[in-house]
């Protein structure tokens, strides 16, 4: 069962269209997955593998990248992969035909939200077991589905986090070293002043001594 | 110029006069220090110029005296017992806040955002002394002819209080701005430096955000918890015997058929239907069916959805089936004998159907629900209506409707209730379903297709507006105000989530809100305070938008200035909302006393603290001269009147309206406008899009003003009466009404014939213009002496004495007695 479908622009992770989740019917709280999906869309870039499955506990994310657009679906882990990718390919073809040219120009999130109607219809044909038989032809084209890379969602999301953690640590380090530098400078000047002061006291005593007692 | 003024405006805040407590002194020091300051006193009538000469010597009372010598118009003392003609020639205009002109020019429009006091007192004790309520009245989603819309990837907001950048913030320099609500200094983001309107760089203060007090943002994806929902409409219809008898089904189905293409939405719009009597009927409208399929669920104890995914269908794809259903629906139940009605289970079913997406439920109900959960019993005793000392049963009989409404609110479902009935329906209980889910309530007493044609027309017109008006889904609204002020009570239809966030599953352009405020910390070194209402909603096209209104008001430290800035209409409306709450929580007589006391207290305070020369009579400042009149009008309003027979539902509905309607309509409900229309001329007429609209002057609401040889039009908001005098000018009868003489005026005449005469055109233009100004459709009743409606016409003559209520003059005497005690 496909629980969540999202189409986003890869360049900046801007969501273009999505299918409403059916909270009540599936009885699951999808908020967590929803935010993971958003994060994922932001993480993906042109270097990411074109087709990939990401495991997230009992669920799996599947995505297809094509023409700078990411097509993402969330399903139960047991749901046949071949069907999901067939479904995503289907969406990709239709979306590219309808809106492909406008993708790079939009700035408002969910600009093509009306594509939802098509998503829902397609979803129904893939989920409905009776209609599924008619899809045999599509399935054969996707024989190589087994070779699609599998990774873990946490790893993918954390890869960025680890980098950003490293980044913050590095910047912390640099700011600390800057502080050290300024502190050291300050200490240096203070000790110089102390030396000068000591010398001055010595000389004044000397002069006073010479002035009053020497002569 | 705005640069300098904004910086100049900020400067006085930095100049702190330290320990000095005298506010006048402060104002003046600042003016001296900062000659550019916008508080240069030129445009401030409340700050007489001679004060700046030697203010240090003036004690507050003396400065009050000097104010007297140069009294601004708002503070002109009026002896209410002597001056009878208090009504202005045209509409009552709200006072203008005493702000520098260039700030006032961009301030929020009073129709959208209004404060009861346009000058905010410095301390709570000063406010207590003035005895006037402090609050805001809002009409946030009002249809606007001009609304700047801003699309930008980052919306600039204050980092600590999350205020949206607005015209009243201060730019410290090019790179930093100071929030006008919490006074935190924020950075100006790089993107904000570029102005897309003038295509120039480095002028952040010229951006539309800083030039408009009302504007709309297209929200980026951070403002969405889920993808924007589609427009979803669910129609729930009562089809019991009683309902079919009234014949309302025809009107609803016909209206829907006519307006089906005008429903706000896009290609995702969904629609569904439920009908109910003692069972619940669903309609399968799945694409591909040859005709709609009716599914009956008779188990109303444990309601379920027979086929979850084909009851709510895409309107564009299944339009034919929907139209089919609408055409056959009125006949389907023609011969029903079922008298029971299971409203509660039907509402539960509606909630189940919409909970996945959210949306709007429109419920049409014609009788007291009698089956299943939420069944009610009649609580009204008609014989006690007039004589009862106190009105019972203003609070709901069951909390089922409130609980369900809260569930609905959580799932972004709003329920609008249309009540068409001739008998008691317990609106006090049923109304909760709309109240907490931010819906609206419509009430058509004694609706019947044949017996009440005026009601039918009104229902039709209202329905058309209801179906086609703008709508916002899954909305929330937050009202922020400057540090030191706090909002403590909200009025309107919504649910308050997390102290100050109003949850509005639906928001419509006809909804008004009111809030009460208190002053928590003294506003000593502030020149002005600001209020910001931000409404985040999903448009029917699936766009997430934020509408932001910001209002700025001056802070004053003397009672006379507070009185000078009092907005009598806003005060009346806020008091009305407070009184509704009081009558539900305490009792009606309590609420009535509280309203009378409000006028007594404020006038006493004016007399003792502001006036220095004591004169006999009942003295009021000119800006509050209508206050006792409005209070008396409220006491005689349907919601609060006693002694006259008022049906409980009528009363509760009037209360709902007082809380829910925007100020302009509430004012007409409270104090109708009376015009003489038999001698309309083009003199002083308005010209609106090439039509000439005569502007007769507003008359006092007293029978004394009616003359038998004239015709008078009374505009009471939701109804308009045209009273024809017995000796009315025959010219008017023939030219406007198309009738030969007075005797020929029919008893139930509801429209003006379209005659090709100048008089007829003028009258129709005037009535049409009155109707255009409000979103609902007021029925016109032509009334002569024998008409049954004459009584309700005369009840609106609030200045006159009735057997159970004081006349205006007696009321004034009563107030005077209390004031001079």
């Amino acid at each position: 069962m496909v629980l969540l479908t999202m189409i986003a622009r890869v360049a900046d992770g801007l969501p273009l269209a999505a299918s409403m989740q059916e909270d009540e019917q599936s009885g699951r709280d999808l908020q967590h997955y929803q935010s993971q999906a958003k994060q994922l869309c932001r993480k993906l870039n042109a270097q990411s593998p074109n087709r990939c499955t990401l495991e997230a506990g009992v669920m799996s994310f599947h995505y297809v990248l094509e023409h700078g657009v990411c097509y993402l679906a969330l399903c139960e882990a047991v749901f046949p992969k071949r069907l999901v990718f067939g479904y995503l390919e289907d969406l990709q073809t239709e979306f590219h035909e309808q809106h492909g040219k406008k993708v790079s120009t939009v700035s408002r999130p969910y600009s093509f939200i009306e594509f939802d109607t098509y998503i829902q219809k397609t979803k129904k044909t893939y989920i409905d077991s009776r209609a599924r038989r008619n899809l045999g032809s599509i399935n054969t084209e996707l024989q190589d589905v087994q070779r699609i890379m599998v990774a873990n969602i946490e790893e993918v999301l954390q890869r960025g986090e680890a980098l950003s953690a490293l980044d913050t640590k590095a910047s912390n380090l640099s700011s600390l070293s800057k502080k050290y530098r300024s502190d050291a400078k300050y200490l240096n000047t203070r000790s110089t002043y102390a030396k000068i002061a000591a010398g001055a006291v010595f000389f004044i005593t000397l002069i006073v001594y010479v002035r009053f007692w020497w002569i | 110029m705005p640069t300098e003024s904004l910086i100049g405006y900020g400067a006085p805040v930095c100049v702190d006069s330290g320990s000095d407590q005298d506010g006048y002194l402060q104002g003046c020091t600042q003016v001296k220090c900062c000659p550019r300051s916008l508080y240069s006193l030129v445009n401030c009538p409340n700050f007489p110029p001679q004060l700046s000469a030697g203010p240090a010597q003036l004690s507050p009372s003396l400065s009050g005296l000097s104010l007297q010598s140069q009294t601004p118009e708002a503070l002109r003392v009026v002896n209410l017992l002597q001056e009878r003609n208090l009504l202005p020639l045209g509409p009552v205009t709200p006072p203008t806040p005493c702000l520098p002109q260039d700030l006032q020019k961009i301030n929020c429009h009073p129709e959208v955002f209004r404060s009861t006091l346009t000058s905010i007192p410095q301390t709570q004790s000063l406010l207590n002394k003035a005895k006037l309520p402090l609050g805001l009245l809002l009409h946030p989603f009002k249809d606007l002819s001009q609304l700047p819309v801003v699309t930008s990837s980052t919306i600039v907001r204050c980092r600590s209080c999350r205020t949206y950048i607005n015209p009243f913030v201060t730019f410290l320099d090019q790179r930093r701005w100071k929030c006008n609500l919490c006074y935190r200094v924020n950075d100006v983001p790089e993107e904000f430096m570029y102005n897309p309107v003038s295509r120039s760089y480095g002028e952040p203060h010229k951006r539309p955000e800083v030039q408009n007090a009302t504007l709309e943002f297209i929200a980026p994806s951070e403002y969405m918890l889920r993808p924007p929902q589609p427009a979803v409409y669910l129609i729930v219809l009562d089809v019991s015997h009683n309902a079919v008898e009234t014949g309302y089904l025809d009107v609803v189905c016909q209206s829907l058929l006519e307006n089906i293409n005008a429903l706000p939405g896009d290609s995702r719009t969904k629609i569904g239907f439920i009908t109910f009597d003692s069972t619940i009927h669903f309609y399968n409208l799945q694409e591909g069916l040859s005709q709609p399929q009716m599914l009956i669920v008779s188990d109303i104890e444990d309601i379920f959805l027979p086929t979850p995914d084909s009851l709510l269908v895409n309107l564009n794809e299944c339009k034919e089936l929907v139209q089919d259903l609408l055409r056959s629906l009125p006949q389907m139940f023609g011969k029903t004998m079922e008298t029971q009605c299971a409203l509660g289970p039907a509402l539960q079913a509606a909630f189940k159907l919409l909970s996945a997406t959210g949306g709007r439920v429109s419920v049409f109900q014609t009788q007291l629900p009698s089956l299943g959960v939420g069944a009610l019993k009649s609580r009204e005793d008609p014989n006690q209506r007039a004589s009862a000392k106190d009105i019972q049963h203003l609070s709901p009989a069951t909390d089922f409707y409130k609980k369900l409404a809260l569930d609905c609110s959580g799932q972004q479902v709003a329920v609008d209730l249309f009540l068409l009935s001739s008998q008691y329906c317990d609106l006090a209980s049923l109304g909760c379903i709309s109240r907490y889910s931010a819906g609206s309530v419509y009430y058509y007493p004694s609706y019947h297709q044949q017996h009440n044609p005026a009601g039918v027309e009104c229902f039709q017109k209202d329905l058309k507006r209801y179906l086609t008006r703008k709508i916002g889904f899954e909305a929330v609204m937050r009202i922020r105000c400057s540090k030191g002020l706090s909002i403590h009570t909200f009025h309107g239809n919504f649910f308050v989530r997390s102290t100050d966030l109003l949850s509005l599953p639906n928001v419509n352009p006809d909804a008004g809100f009111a809030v009460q405020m208190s002053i928590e910390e003294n506003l000593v070194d502030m020149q002005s305070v600001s209020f910001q209402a931000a409404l985040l909603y999903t448009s029917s096209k699936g766009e997430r938008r934020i509408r932001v209104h910001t209002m700025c008001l001056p802070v004053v430290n003397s009672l006379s200035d507070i009185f000078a800035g009092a907005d009598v209409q806003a005060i009346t409306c806020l008091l009305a909302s407070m009184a509704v709450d009081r009558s539900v929580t305490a009792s009606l007589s309590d609420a009535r006393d509280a309203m009378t006391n409000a006028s007594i207290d404020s006038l006493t305070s004016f007399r003792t603290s502001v006036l220095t020369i004591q004169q006999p009579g009942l003295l009021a400042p000119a800006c509050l001269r209508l206050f006792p009149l409005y209070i008396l009008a409220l006491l005689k309003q349907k919601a609060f009147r006693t002694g006259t027979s008022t049906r409980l539902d009528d009363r509760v509905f009037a209360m709902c309206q007082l809380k829910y309607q925007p100020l302009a309509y509430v004012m007409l409900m409270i104090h109708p406008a009376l015009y003489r229309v038999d001698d309309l001329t083009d003199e002083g007429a308005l010209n609106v899009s090439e039509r000439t609209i005569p502007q007769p002057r507003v008359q006092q609401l007293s029978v004394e003003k009616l003359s038998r040889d004239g015709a008078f039009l009374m505009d009471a908001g939701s109804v308009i009466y045209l009273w024809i005098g017995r000796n009315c000018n025959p010219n008017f009868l023939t030219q406007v009404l198309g009738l030969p003489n007075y005797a020929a005026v029919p008893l139930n005449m509801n429209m003006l014939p379209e005659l090709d005469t100048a008089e007829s055109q003028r009258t129709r233009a005037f009535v049409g213009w009155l109707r255009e100004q409000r979103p609902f459709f007021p029925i016109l009743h032509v009334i002569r002496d024998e008409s049954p409606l004459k009584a309700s016409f005369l009840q609106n003559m609030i200045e006159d004495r009735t057997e159970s209520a004081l006349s205006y003059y007696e009321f004034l005497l009563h107030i005077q007695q209390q004031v001079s005690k």
Side-chain angles (χ1 to χ4, degrees):
Chain A
M1 174 115 181
V2 181
L3 296 167
L4 183 70
T5 313
M6 196 165 152
I7 301 179
R9 186 161 70 191
V10 176
D12 55 358
L14 182 82
L16 299 172
S19 187
M20 291 277 283
Q21 61 220 33
E22 280 129 41
D23 274 334
E24 278 311 295
Q25 285 172 31
S26 51
R28 265 175 285 233
D29 181 25
L30 289 176
Q31 210 63 59
H32 173 64
Y33 292 109
Q34 168 101 21
S35 65
Q36 270 190 337
K38 268 192 192 168
Q39 282 179 39
L40 186 65
C41 287
R42 249 171 265 143
K43 285 275 150 59
L44 293 175
N45 54 39
Q47 280 78 48
S48 309
N50 270 349
R51 275 164 188 65
C52 189
T53 295
L54 303 166
E55 289 166 346
V58 290
M59 300 288 184
S60 294
F61 285 101
H62 307 272
Y63 74 80
V64 169
L65 292 186
E66 206 75 59
H67 304 291
V69 179
C70 162
Y71 303 83
L72 179 78
L74 173 75
C75 320
E76 287 129 340
V78 292
F79 193 76
K81 248 188 187 181
R82 161 193 298 199
L83 274 180
V84 186
F85 281 98
Y87 163 67
L88 289 176
E89 291 291 339
D90 196 335
L91 291 187
Q92 187 264 321
T93 330
E94 181 68 22
F95 188 81
H96 188 64
E97 200 178 301
Q98 279 190 23
H99 307 293
K101 290 196 183 97
K102 286 172 275 172
V103 166
S104 54
T105 59
V106 296
S107 58
R108 184 166 64 80
Y110 299 107
S111 294
F112 308 114
I113 189 73
E114 293 187 45
F115 191 68
D116 180 23
T117 324
Y118 182 81
I119 300 181
Q120 290 197 2
K121 253 194 234 158
T122 320
K123 191 158 73 180
K124 234 171 237 167
T125 55
Y126 278 88
I127 289 168
D128 193 348
S129 52
R130 273 169 298 178
R132 224 184 268 173
R133 277 183 228 122
N134 310 331
L135 297 167
S137 52
I138 304 170
N139 290 342
T140 46
E141 291 162 23
L142 284 158
Q143 281 308 322
D144 57 344
V145 89
Q146 296 306 327
R147 269 172 280 155
I148 285 173
M149 198 178 123
V150 179
N152 189 295
I153 179 88
E154 295 297 329
E155 280 169 22
V156 175
L157 292 182
Q158 261 158 32
R159 193 184 301 151
E161 272 166 37
L163 278 177
S164 65
L166 196 67
D167 198 40
T168 48
K169 274 179 193 159
S171 64
N172 274 348
L173 203 64
S174 87
S175 69
L176 276 177
S177 65
K178 262 184 203 139
K179 193 168 177 290
Y180 177 76
R181 191 186 147 100
S182 65
D183 283 358
K185 237 184 199 165
Y186 173 68
L187 275 178
N188 257 339
T189 37
R190 236 176 65 170
S191 73
T192 320
Y193 285 142
K195 275 177 198 162
I196 291 170
V201 168
F202 175 74
F203 275 110
I204 290 167
T205 345
L206 199 72
I207 289 163
V208 169
Y209 180 72
V210 168
R211 181 91 200 263
F212 291 101
W213 286 281
W214 193 271
I215 303 169
Chain B
M1 188 57 208
T3 338
E4 203 170 81
S5 55
L6 279 167
I7 294 168
Y9 167 57
V13 182
C14 312
V15 182
D16 196 346
S17 55
S19 62
D20 215 317
Q21 289 301 307
D22 190 346
Y24 276 112
L25 187 63
Q26 237 181 63
C28 298
T29 343
Q30 283 154 9
V31 171
K32 277 184 204 153
C33 294
C34 185
R36 290 182 294 152
S37 163
L38 300 176
Y39 276 91
S40 56
L41 308 168
V42 187
N43 299 312
C44 279
N46 293 349
F47 288 81
Q50 81 266 25
L51 268 179
S52 50
Q57 295 82 17
L58 284 175
S59 70
S61 64
L62 271 175
S63 66
L65 215 159
S66 67
L67 273 176
Q68 284 283 302
S69 57
Q70 302 221 334
T71 324
E73 171 55 27
L75 278 182
R76 185 173 57 84
V77 180
V78 178
N79 186 350
L80 295 177
L81 292 174
Q82 274 168 6
E83 265 186 68
R84 288 304 313 277
N85 219 351
L86 297 170
L87 292 171
L89 290 174
V92 180
T93 47
T96 318
C98 174
L99 280 173
Q101 212 161 30
D102 46 354
L103 277 188
Q104 182 48 37
K105 217 166 61 196
I106 46 174
N107 216 346
C108 200
H109 197 278
E111 278 179 12
V112 173
F113 216 146
R114 208 152 149 179
S115 168
T116 55
L117 302 178
T118 47
S119 302
I120 303 294
Q122 220 170 45
T123 59
Q124 179 71 32
S125 61
L126 199 60
L127 174 63
N128 293 345
K129 231 189 253 169
K131 304 276 186 193
L132 289 168
L134 178 60
L136 303 171
L137 287 110
L138 285 102
H139 190 176
F141 206 52
K142 184 178 168 20
D143 287 326
L144 297 167
S145 53
Q146 229 188 357
L147 178 68
V149 179
V150 175
T151 318
S152 93
S153 56
T154 49
I155 294 179
V156 181
R157 298 174 70 177
C158 172
R159 279 166 62 95
S160 78
C161 68
R162 309 297 294 147
T163 299
Y164 295 83
I165 197 164
N166 60 67
F168 310 107
V169 302
T170 324
F171 280 95
L172 299 179
D173 52 45
Q174 288 271 307
R175 287 292 174 172
R176 288 177 309 150
W177 62 279
K178 188 167 171 190
C179 175
N180 53 335
L181 269 70
C182 69
Y183 309 107
R184 182 197 156 105
V185 176
N186 292 277
D187 293 335
V188 176
E190 184 57 40
E191 207 188 325
F192 203 74
M193 298 296 288
Y194 177 71
N195 184 355
V197 182
S198 63
R199 290 160 189 254
S200 55
Y201 185 83
E203 289 179 328
H205 49 83
K206 292 215 175 128
R207 293 260 308 191
E209 289 94 325
V210 193
Q211 291 294 313
N212 297 289
T214 291
L215 83 166
E216 202 156 79
F217 293 99
I218 305 279
S221 60
E222 294 88 73
Y223 292 79
M224 308 175 190
L225 281 175
R226 55 175 193 177
Q229 69 160 83
V232 181
Y233 305 111
L234 180 66
I235 320 286
V236 180
L237 299 159
D238 179 2
V239 292
S240 61
H241 177 72
N242 187 41
V244 175
E245 186 62 29
T246 62
Y248 88 92
L249 276 175
D250 285 317
V251 177
V252 173
C253 293
Q254 198 54 42
S255 283
L256 268 167
L257 275 173
E258 279 163 17
N259 297 307
I260 200 148
N261 293 318
L263 285 175
D266 54 8
S267 68
R268 298 194 298 156
T269 308
K270 287 181 169 184
I271 195 165
F273 295 87
I274 292 177
T275 56
F276 65 97
D277 40 29
S278 61
T279 54
I280 314 291
H281 322 134
F282 296 91
Y283 295 87
N284 184 349
L285 300 165
Q286 188 61 34
E287 210 182 348
L289 289 176
S290 58
Q291 60 175 31
Q293 225 173 44
M294 179 161 142
L295 306 157
I296 301 179
V297 174
S298 54
D299 180 10
I300 55 169
E301 294 304 315
D302 182 22
I303 203 79
F304 64 93
L305 301 178
T307 54
D309 52 352
S310 50
L311 301 177
L312 215 51
V313 294
N314 188 303
L315 180 59
N316 285 342
E317 284 162 6
C318 308
K319 198 172 272 172
E320 309 238 309
L321 275 178
V322 171
Q323 284 169 333
D324 238 22
L325 176 67
L326 287 172
R327 274 187 218 107
S328 56
L329 204 58
Q331 282 82 49
M332 264 197 270
F333 299 94
K335 294 194 182 71
T336 186
M337 293 312 282
E338 191 60 71
T339 54
Q340 304 273 50
C341 138
L343 176 67
L347 286 173
Q348 283 178 324
F351 167 64
K352 277 214 168 109
L353 197 52
L354 288 196
S355 58
T357 51
R360 178 174 84 184
V361 181
S362 320
V363 182
F364 295 82
Q365 170 74 10
T366 64
Q367 57 174 318
L368 203 62
S370 56
L371 269 186
V373 279
L376 298 167
K377 287 196 179 61
S378 179
R379 298 190 288 171
E380 190 188 34
D381 181 1
N383 303 325
Q384 294 286 307
R385 269 189 215 146
S387 57
K389 276 210 84 147
D390 227 335
I391 309 299
Q392 303 291 313
H393 309 306
L394 289 172
S395 48
T398 160
D399 63 350
F400 167 76
Y401 293 99
K402 180 179 178 180
K403 275 187 180 157
L404 186 61
L406 295 185
D407 289 343
C408 285
S409 174
Q411 299 295 334
Q412 309 294 356
V413 177
V415 184
D416 294 332
L417 179 67
F418 288 80
L419 200 58
L420 310 112
S421 73
S422 43
Q423 266 132 33
Y424 175 69
C425 274
D426 201 351
L427 187 59
S429 304
L430 293 184
C432 289
I433 189 78
S434 299
R435 180 167 169 202
Y436 295 100
S437 69
S440 28
V441 178
Y442 293 82
Y443 177 52
Y444 304 89
S446 33
Y447 182 88
H448 196 279
Q449 187 135 36
Q450 271 103 47
H451 306 157
N452 186 0
V456 174
E457 194 195 356
C458 178
F459 179 51
Q460 264 170 345
K461 294 273 165 62
D462 281 358
L463 210 54
K464 181 172 169 28
R465 160 81 185 165
Y466 171 77
L467 291 173
T468 55
R469 74 185 175 190
K470 216 175 135 131
I471 181 168
F473 295 96
E474 41 184 1
V476 285
M477 181 162 77
R478 184 169 262 139
I479 305 166
R480 297 182 172 86
C481 44
S482 285
K483 207 166 82 182
L485 293 166
S486 82
I487 295 174
H488 58 83
T489 311
F490 298 86
H491 301 278
N493 288 2
F494 49 75
F495 173 61
V496 185
R497 207 161 64 195
S498 70
T499 68
D500 66 336
L501 188 68
L502 306 186
S503 161
L504 303 162
N506 279 5
V507 59
N508 69 66
D510 306 333
F513 301 88
V515 299
Q516 283 168 253
M517 286 188 301
S518 58
I519 302 166
E520 302 251 295
E521 292 165 39
N522 293 350
L523 309 165
V524 174
D525 40 0
M526 291 172 205
Q527 299 268 304
S528 64
V529 285
S530 303
F531 307 91
Q532 187 172 69
L535 177 75
L536 171 66
Y537 69 97
T538 303
S539 77
S540 51
K541 299 259 185 289
E543 289 174 8
R544 201 84 171 129
R545 286 164 169 251
I546 311 164
R547 191 174 286 191
V548 180
H549 304 285
T550 318
M551 177 173 65
C552 181
L553 294 177
V555 176
V556 296
N557 70 343
S558 78
L559 269 179
S560 54
D561 289 345
I562 299 175
F563 276 103
D567 181 341
V568 66
Q569 290 194 319
I571 291 174
T572 312
C573 289
L574 187 66
L575 278 176
S577 288
M578 288 157 71
V580 170
D581 279 0
R582 180 71 77 86
S583 29
V584 175
T585 52
S587 69
L588 193 72
S589 54
D590 223 28
R592 287 170 58 90
D593 290 346
M595 282 190 284
T596 317
N597 289 338
S599 62
I600 293 171
D601 289 346
S602 57
L603 292 184
T604 313
S605 159
F606 177 72
R607 190 188 179 93
T608 53
S609 319
V610 180
L611 284 184
T612 39
I613 312 152
Q614 294 296 336
Q615 301 161 349
L618 181 58
L619 306 175
C623 60
L624 284 180
R625 68 189 190 282
L626 294 173
F627 194 33
L629 179 65
Y630 284 159
I631 292 292
L632 180 69
L634 267 178
L635 294 176
K636 294 187 176 182
Q637 221 274 330
K638 245 182 215 167
F640 302 112
R641 71 184 176 201
T642 52
T644 19
S645 175
T646 309
R647 300 201 310 170
L648 193 52
D649 278 348
D650 287 356
R651 189 187 291 279
V652 173
F653 181 62
M655 287 185 170
C656 292
Q657 285 203 308
L658 286 180
K659 286 197 80 164
Y660 176 67
Q661 293 281 355
L663 181 135
Y665 318 136
V666 171
M667 271 332 288
L668 278 179
M669 279 177 60
I670 296 173
H671 188 270
L674 184 71
Y675 308 94
R676 182 167 184 158
V677 289
D678 59 323
D679 53 358
L680 290 179
T681 58
D682 284 343
E683 203 178 309
L686 268 185
N687 254 314
V688 182
S689 54
E690 294 178 15
R691 285 178 310 151
T692 315
I693 293 143
Q695 297 289 306
R697 65 166 298 179
V698 181
Q699 309 275 341
Q700 280 164 270
L701 289 172
S702 164
V703 176
E704 160 197 343
K705 293 282 161 191
L706 299 177
S707 64
R708 279 177 178 267
D709 55 352
F712 289 83
L713 189 88
M714 180 191 279
D715 177 13
S718 55
V719 54
I720 295 177
Y721 300 101
L722 178 60
W723 182 85
I724 312 287
R726 187 170 287 276
N727 305 329
C728 181
N729 186 356
N731 191 33
F732 181 79
L733 289 173
T734 49
Q735 303 293 324
V736 177
L737 299 175
L739 299 166
N741 52 40
Y742 176 75
V745 177
L747 283 181
N748 51 352
M749 184 173 176
N750 296 109
M751 46 188 286
L752 297 173
E754 289 193 20
L755 301 178
D756 198 20
T757 59
E759 288 87 348
S760 168
Q761 270 165 6
R762 270 191 213 119
T763 318
R764 279 184 290 121
F766 182 59
V767 173
W769 177 73
L770 288 178
R771 281 180 170 161
E772 272 164 29
Q773 290 175 334
R774 61 207 73 168
F776 41 84
F777 182 82
I779 329 171
L780 176 82
H781 292 292
V782 180
I783 288 183
R784 54 185 268 201
D785 275 347
E786 294 80 14
S787 302
L789 277 166
K790 195 186 157 205
S792 44
F793 172 72
L794 290 180
Q795 263 165 8
N796 282 328
M797 291 294 176
I798 48 161
E799 296 200 14
D800 292 334
R801 184 157 194 264
T802 63
E803 64 268 37
S804 57
L806 299 176
S807 75
Y808 179 51
Y809 193 73
E810 288 167 328
F811 184 67
L812 288 179
L813 286 179
H814 170 69
I815 291 184
Q816 193 210 0
Q817 250 174 22
Q818 300 291 321
V819 167
S820 32
K821 233 189 233 173

